[in-house]
Amino acid sequence: SSTNSAVLNVRQTVDANNNLKLVWDRPQGFDVVSYEIYSNEYTPRLLATITDPDQTWFVDQSYVYGYKSYQIAARLRKRVPVGRGLG
């Protein structure tokens, strides 16, 4: 059975320059418009907006060492009901 999964399955790795790189899966069954990456230390702070729904990675060049928390939000296209008449 096919189910819509909004799980992003975020992983961390490093890029070629040894910067922290977050990688995630594109959610299946959803029409993703963009991703928003937040630094989540005390209050969420927007680090980047990725407008290519096929780009499922982000490099944090400001990360040095130690604990850091992130939040990734997938923004979805609003669905408009089809086949409904007015009036």
Side-chain angles (χ1 to χ4, degrees):
S1 76
S2 71
T3 58
N4 290 343
S5 174
V7 176
L8 297 180
N9 187 29
V10 180
R11 286 100 58 204
Q12 71 177 43
T13 184
V14 292
D15 71 357
N17 296 316
N18 217 29
N19 293 310
L20 177 69
K21 182 176 183 179
L22 302 175
V23 181
W24 59 91
D25 298 335
R26 184 173 178 168
Q28 297 301 306
F30 293 92
D31 189 3
V32 176
V33 175
S34 64
Y35 299 99
E36 293 175 356
I37 315 302
Y38 294 89
S39 174
N40 221 12
E41 274 97 51
Y42 302 104
T43 58
R45 181 174 57 92
L46 183 64
L47 297 176
T49 300
I50 299 170
T51 56
D52 178 355
D54 292 322
Q55 180 183 328
T56 56
W57 55 268
F58 169 74
V59 173
D60 186 353
Q61 295 180 338
S62 69
Y63 176 79
V64 181
Y65 66 91
Y67 176 79
K68 191 158 186 182
S69 177
Y70 296 90
Q71 180 178 346
I72 301 172
R75 298 292 171 203
L76 307 177
R77 188 175 316 280
K78 291 183 180 174
R79 294 188 178 178
V80 178
V82 176
R84 289 195 163 180
L86 295 175

